[in-house]
Amino acid sequence: MSGIQAAWPSNTECVAKYNFQGTTGQDLPFFKGDVLTIIGVTKDPNWYKAKNQVGREGTIPANYVQKREGVKSGGKLSLMPWFHGKISREQAERLLYPPETGLYLVRESTNYPGDYTLCVSCDGKVEHYRIIYHNGKLSIDEEEFFENLMQLVEHYTKDADGLCTRLIKPKLMEGTVAAQDEFSRSGWALNRKELKLIQSIGKGEFGDVMVGDYRGTKVAVKCIKNDATAQAFIAEASVMTQLRHTNLVQLLGVIVEERGSLYIVTEYMAKGSLVDYLRSRGRTVLGGECLLKFSFDVCEAMEYLEANNFVHRDLAARNVLVSEDNIAKVSDFGLTKEASSTQDTAKLPVKWTSPEALREKKFSTKSDVWSYGILLWEIYSFGRVPYPRIPLKEVVPRVEKGYTMDCPDGCSTVVYDLMKQCWTLDAAVRPSFRMLREKLHHIKSKELYL
């Protein structure tokens, strides 16, 4: 174990693999699954000094914990690694060769578009079972019905229930990694039994956002039921494991249930979204110093993403949350990708997206800077919708001709100048987030916002 010592510097996060009671007063007891932070080494290379999430410190055995790592294989993570998409009957049979009873995969049906086929190797040949999609449910025999493919597969791994054999071994699609295995391996899998869901605080098209309790800590939980949507959120969660900053909403862990539900557990942000916060309090409550602080918080988070080569793509006041102690944190990494990739523009929020991103699907830190300018305008207009009184279809043509929104009432000219720099049509000329932070710092220190 002594080789571990050099590899784990202070502030390394780790997860307990076992329960530890402690044998002396100096030890820090913990339970399996607890997250601990290494704060130093001891004379004995088999022990660390660490602290737990409530700040208690003590010594812990090095071989009882595993380092928490960012999940790297985002694009290859799959909730359904046995799902092979559009392949033919013959291709499925080739993949299930040499025959091995209980080896299986699921494919899209070639004869019945919209349905699926379960292909199972049994006694030297492959059986193909049509999975019928009926009234929003899936079924093979029209006796048992399932919400999604994951539930169906789980059922038949426990019991053959009319099939030639129960499902024993998935034939993984080449290049995929089972999401549950990867989150467990890197220390991000949480225990469903220890999560209590308390009440719904929002509904999205993907599922519910709930307030929950995980081991006595108040948390926010995205509950995703549908397998296609859950697959998209797996990518979001894997991005979140790689990012850690005071002004980003922190992922606490992920639960992948066998029955196909996915829970993404994050820190709880008591005061909700920044846009609602601004609208409900208004200028009588929020002074210039508070608005500048929110602008600064978001800028710091975005500078961190910029330095780590991540593009947010959906920066707006609705995707910034406010904590109990009034810290603004950027959330919703649903669209976050490694820098400079392209994406489908059908769902893009037109009023927040830069002209080049809408026109050429080009996303970069500089397109995030444009969105940040719009977010500044939202902050200083106390949550108004951008481009007031302009019909949506006219926004892009007018912006491309050089139109910019007016300065919000009461906003200082120095802050308005920053907005306009963010809205430069030539992306290369826009400031970086680092430059924006330096300018905000200057505005704050000289009290130019008053």
Side-chain angles (χ1 to χ4, degrees), residues 50-82:
K51 67 176 176 189
N52 63 17
Q53 286 181 299
V54 293
R56 189 176 159 195
E57 298 183 2
T59 51
I60 62 165
N63 58 347
Y64 273 52
V65 293
Q66 70 175 93
K67 186 177 174 183
R68 217 178 197 195
E69 299 169 2
V71 173
K72 289 289 190 284
S73 42
K76 300 199 171 64
L77 285 188
S78 178
L79 287 170
M80 307 183 292
W82 34 258

Side-chain angles (χ1 to χ4, degrees), residues 47-170:
W47 292 77
Y48 282 111
K49 280 181 75 172
K51 67 176 176 189
N52 63 17
Q53 286 181 299
V54 293
R56 189 176 159 195
E57 298 183 2
T59 51
I60 62 165
N63 58 347
Y64 273 52
V65 293
Q66 70 175 93
K67 186 177 174 183
R68 217 178 197 195
E69 299 169 2
V71 173
K72 289 289 190 284
S73 42
K76 300 199 171 64
L77 285 188
S78 178
L79 287 170
M80 307 183 292
W82 34 258
F83 181 63
H84 290 247
K86 280 192 170 76
I87 59 168
S88 69
R89 186 186 179 101
E90 294 71 34
Q91 284 171 302
E93 291 181 356
R94 279 202 297 276
L95 286 166
L96 296 174
Y97 186 87
E100 182 182 337
T101 293
L103 185 66
Y104 69 92
L105 62 83
V106 178
R107 60 184 172 89
E108 289 180 36
S109 171
T110 38
N111 297 340
Y112 303 96
D115 287 353
Y116 301 102
T117 306
L118 171 63
C119 311
V120 192
S121 178
C122 184
D123 298 334
K125 60 182 196 294
V126 175
E127 299 289 348
H128 298 263
Y129 297 94
R130 180 181 168 196
I131 300 171
I132 304 154
Y133 190 70
H134 183 68
N135 289 343
K137 299 272 174 84
L138 300 172
S139 180
I140 287 177
D141 54 14
E142 300 202 51
E143 287 175 19
E144 288 275 356
F145 288 88
F146 305 94
E147 297 285 336
N148 57 40
L149 287 173
M150 288 179 278
Q151 282 186 16
L152 179 140
V153 165
E154 195 228 349
H155 173 78
Y156 290 107
T157 53
K158 296 204 166 108
D159 184 351
D161 196 12
L163 303 187
C164 58
T165 168
R166 74 179 182 85
L167 307 181
I168 298 168
K169 183 179 168 187

Side-chain angles (χ1 to χ4, degrees), residues 102-274:
L103 185 66
Y104 69 92
L105 62 83
V106 178
R107 60 184 172 89
E108 289 180 36
S109 171
T110 38
N111 297 340
Y112 303 96
D115 287 353
Y116 301 102
T117 306
L118 171 63
C119 311
V120 192
S121 178
C122 184
D123 298 334
K125 60 182 196 294
V126 175
E127 299 289 348
H128 298 263
Y129 297 94
R130 180 181 168 196
I131 300 171
I132 304 154
Y133 190 70
H134 183 68
N135 289 343
K137 299 272 174 84
L138 300 172
S139 180
I140 287 177
D141 54 14
E142 300 202 51
E143 287 175 19
E144 288 275 356
F145 288 88
F146 305 94
E147 297 285 336
N148 57 40
L149 287 173
M150 288 179 278
Q151 282 186 16
L152 179 140
V153 165
E154 195 228 349
H155 173 78
Y156 290 107
T157 53
K158 296 204 166 108
D159 184 351
D161 196 12
L163 303 187
C164 58
T165 168
R166 74 179 182 85
L167 307 181
I168 298 168
K169 183 179 168 187
K171 174 67 183 179
L172 303 189
M173 186 171 170
E174 198 170 329
T176 58
V177 179
Q180 173 62 40
D181 298 349
E182 185 58 23
F183 283 113
S184 298
R185 188 197 63 73
S186 53
W188 291 94
L190 302 182
N191 184 344
R192 175 68 184 91
K193 292 190 181 80
E194 300 191 68
L195 175 68
K196 291 189 198 74
L197 297 174
I198 299 165
Q199 70 179 83
S200 175
I201 48 172
K203 273 196 175 335
E205 51 196 279
F206 57 82
D208 294 343
V209 180
M210 309 278 291
V211 176
D213 179 290
Y214 191 77
R215 298 186 160 183
T217 302
K218 205 171 191 183
V219 294
V221 189
K222 274 185 184 167
C223 311
I224 299 132
K225 297 280 189 284
N226 173 306
D227 39 16
T229 319
Q231 184 58 49
F233 276 92
I234 277 289
E236 171 181 349
S238 70
V239 166
M240 290 178 80
T241 65
Q242 299 170 52
L243 304 171
R244 192 172 273 96
H245 188 276
T246 332
N247 298 111
L248 290 177
V249 172
Q250 180 59 46
L251 176 74
L252 302 176
V254 176
I255 298 166
V256 181
E257 275 202 322
E258 284 182 328
R259 290 188 65 75
S261 292
L262 172 70
Y263 300 92
I264 295 179
V265 184
T266 62
E267 63 178 314
Y268 175 67
M269 302 292 281
K271 295 187 176 174
S273 79
L274 178 58

